[in-house]
Amino acid sequence: MNAASARLLIVGPQGSGKGTQGVRIAEALGIPVVSTGDIFRANIKGGTELGQQVTAILDRGDLVPDELTGDIVRDRLSQEDAAGGFILDGYPRNTAQVGHLEEFLASRGEALDAVILLDVPREESIERLTLRAQEQGRSDDTEEAIAHRLDIYEKETAPILAVYGDRGIVDRIDGVGSLDEITERITAALRARGLTLAA
Ligand code: ADP
């Protein structure tokens, strides 16, 4: 398997650093990041119809309906730059979405190569998110929305790991450490799967 065909998913609780690490890994492998949260936020900022549809949902920390989210991801993955690989951040987020993604990838003769799980304890997540709230002022980083999003992560998102775990493609990475250390842990895990650029 060469790097150009890496199809990856990065999963972790809110505040695990998956957005930051996703960008770093994507750059290293020359593949695009497909972040559903970023897509929604860009639409909210741009005042699009989609943005208007989802703004209250994001502020509450609820999930956008599966069908809508699935359509957006399929559209994005159908763009040319994702033909040779991609890193998904924030999708799939529940087992129904796993089913939708699997169906879509299978229709193209594709499958995920690896699932990177960034492991961070809940207390650490809350601490980091509280800091982010002060620095960035994201409208869903209120104490209530943070707790709600973490609950959804534990109840709905964590179970998707069982599906991919059965397939033997989950790499559990310790998400506590410096940014560079964590990037190195991830690239080492991907390298072990043969997923890396020749140095
Ligand atoms: P975080 O991981 O900090 O919650 P994200 O940027 O991944 O941040 O997501 C922000 C919000 O966007 C979520 O709380 C949810 O409202 C919406 N969202 C993102 N991805 C999905 C998804 N796969 N399904 C439904 N809603 C999503």
Side-chain angles (χ1 to χ4, degrees):
M1 172 93 32
N2 67 30
S5 65
R7 295 186 177 85
L8 310 175
L9 162 62
I10 189 160
V11 191
Q14 285 69 19
S16 60
K18 70 184 163 55
T20 308
Q21 295 297 336
V23 169
R24 286 175 162 226
I25 299 304
E27 275 170 10
L29 293 177
I31 51 177
V33 181
V34 175
S35 158
T36 41
D38 283 353
I39 294 172
F40 291 135
R41 277 186 294 275
N43 277 275
I44 292 171
K45 204 169 163 209
T48 67
E49 204 185 316
L50 170 65
Q52 286 167 21
Q53 251 175 300
V54 302
T55 182
I57 301 175
L58 263 80
D59 281 351
R60 284 197 304 270
D62 280 330
L63 293 188
V64 172
D66 290 341
E67 204 173 317
L68 183 55
T69 309
D71 283 349
I72 287 158
V73 171
R74 278 190 295 274
D75 259 20
R76 179 63 189 90
L77 293 182
S78 301
Q79 286 168 28
E80 217 178 305
D81 65 333
F86 50 79
I87 179 159
L88 283 166
D89 166 5
Y91 187 92
R93 226 175 175 93
N94 58 31
T95 50
Q97 293 183 3
V98 170
H100 295 154
L101 177 68
E102 292 301 302
E103 208 176 290
F104 174 71
L105 292 179
S107 76
R108 308 204 304 183
E110 298 172 0
L112 291 181
D113 297 304
V115 175
I116 301 154
L117 165 62
L118 269 187
D119 218 3
V120 169
R122 186 173 172 122
E123 312 76 66
E124 171 99 11
S125 279
I126 293 175
E127 226 168 84
R128 291 185 190 178
L129 289 172
T130 311
L131 196 69
R132 184 171 84 185
Q134 289 160 6
E135 285 168 358
Q136 295 178 12
R138 238 175 78 170
S139 59
D140 60 350
D141 279 344
T142 60
E143 204 178 318
E144 245 190 348
I146 288 173
H148 187 49
R149 277 150 58 223
L150 281 167
D151 284 344
I152 294 180
Y153 177 80
E154 282 160 16
K155 285 196 196 89
E156 297 193 36
T157 308
I160 75 171
L161 294 163
V163 179
Y164 294 120
D166 285 347
R167 220 179 284 172
I169 59 169
V170 176
D171 288 315
R172 183 181 290 266
I173 307 291
D174 178 4
V176 180
S178 74
L179 283 182
D180 286 346
E181 272 165 6
I182 297 163
T183 305
E184 181 46 40
R185 287 174 200 154
I186 298 170
T187 44
L190 294 177
R191 213 178 294 131
R193 291 183 185 276
L195 292 166
T196 190
L197 292 175

